Amino acid sequence: MAEVPTALVAASGLVGGYGVARWSKKRQLGGAVLAVAGATAAQRWRRQAGGPAAGALTAAYVAAFAGSHPLAKKVGAWPAVFGVAGAVALASWAVADRRSQSLDRRS
């Protein structure tokens, strides 16, 4: 069975973390969703693309979370979250998933 792309894991962590925090009114619960998805993605990034790439993608994930807050003041909460999630997903696909998929096709 094929693995879920890391782009989807990371984007889901950002969107899901915000959604859980907003709807449950418990920021810690949303943070837990964000952290679990981020840790899962980081582990897979390391396996698929190596340590330096995983470090850069993890930094992008954290920066996206932090950057969504000031961005939300300008464009609204959901557009900010979807925007940063899309950016992280694109970076994840370009650095880890695309490489992994091309290697899988050669096998």
Side-chain angles (χ1 to χ4, degrees):
M1 187 164 132
E3 285 188 321
V4 174
T6 60
L8 184 58
V9 173
S12 296
L14 290 161
V15 173
Y18 175 70
V20 167
R22 182 176 176 121
W23 288 312
S24 71
K25 303 208 186 319
K26 297 189 184 322
R27 292 178 71 174
Q28 299 87 349
L29 192 56
V33 170
L34 180 80
V36 168
T40 300
Q43 185 177 43
R44 299 232 346 253
W45 288 327
R46 186 169 182 266
R47 188 177 74 227
Q48 290 175 329
L57 288 168
T58 301
Y61 184 81
V62 172
F65 167 69
S68 68
H69 292 83
L71 183 60
K73 293 179 182 183
K74 296 179 190 262
V75 300
W78 280 112
V81 170
F82 285 129
V84 300
V88 169
L90 181 60
S92 179
W93 175 81
V95 173
D97 294 333
R98 179 176 59 161
R99 171 184 284 165
S100 178
Q101 289 172 352
S102 67
L103 292 175
D104 288 346
R105 286 188 199 132
R106 292 180 193 172
S107 302

